[in-house]
Amino acid sequence: MITRHPELDPLAEDLTAVIDGVAATFGSATERTVEGELDCDPTQPGRLVCWQYGLRVDNATDAVRKLVEIVLPSLEEQGWRTRDRSNPRELIAQFSRDGSDFNVHVSRAGDGVAIVGSTACLSVP
C-alpha cells in the first residue's frame, strides 16, 4: 500500500510504474520531486483525492530523440493519448489515460528531463 486509501493504490501503482519506466528511458540517475496524495477539492479536504508523483532525470543525453522515437510510440501503443504542450524553452509531451495525466518536460537548452503526473481523482470515505 503506497497511499492512505486502498482504493487509490491500484491507480497510484500504475502511474508510478509508468513514470518510472519513462524515466528509465532517459537515464538511471533519477531524483523524486513529488510523491503523495493530493486533495482534488480544497473546499472539502480528504473527500476527493489523487496520487501525485514526479521525477527529475539529470544528464539525460539525447532526450529529445528518446522522447520522440521511444517514449511517444511506446505510450501510444499502451493507450495513452498524447498532446504537445511545448514552448520555446522546453519540449513538453502530455499523456492522458483513464483520468490519469502526466507531462514529460525536456529542456531545449540542457540535458534535464522532468516528469510529473497525477491519477484520476477518487471519492474516499
Side-chain angles (χ1 to χ4, degrees):
M1 185 163 120
I2 61 175
T3 72
R4 293 180 294 135
H5 300 94
E7 57 275 10
L8 190 56
D9 275 346
L11 296 176
E13 290 166 358
D14 180 56
L15 181 67
T16 300
V18 169
I19 290 176
D20 285 346
V22 169
T25 301
F26 296 106
S28 59
T30 62
E31 180 181 338
R32 190 167 296 137
T33 57
V34 64
E35 177 181 34
E37 290 183 25
L38 181 68
D39 273 316
C40 297
D41 182 358
T43 64
Q44 298 180 348
R47 299 193 66 207
L48 191 62
V49 298
C50 69
W51 177 255
Q52 189 176 32
Y53 184 69
L55 298 172
R56 185 176 70 230
V57 184
D58 292 324
N59 300 316
T61 58
D62 209 14
V64 170
R65 183 193 64 77
K66 289 176 182 176
L67 176 62
V68 172
E69 295 179 9
I70 299 170
V71 174
L72 284 169
S74 173
L75 290 175
E76 287 173 346
E77 284 179 13
Q78 297 172 40
W80 290 90
R81 291 180 316 280
T82 306
R83 184 171 178 198
D84 182 4
R85 311 276 309 202
S86 300
N87 62 50
R89 294 192 64 204
E90 57 188 354
L91 182 66
I92 304 169
Q94 181 180 46
F95 298 94
S96 302
R97 182 179 74 184
D98 301 327
S100 292
D101 299 288
F102 71 95
N103 294 308
V104 178
H105 298 253
V106 176
S107 171
R108 293 185 193 270
D111 56 3
V113 173
I115 307 166
V116 65
S118 61
T119 66
C121 294
L122 292 181
S123 294
V124 292

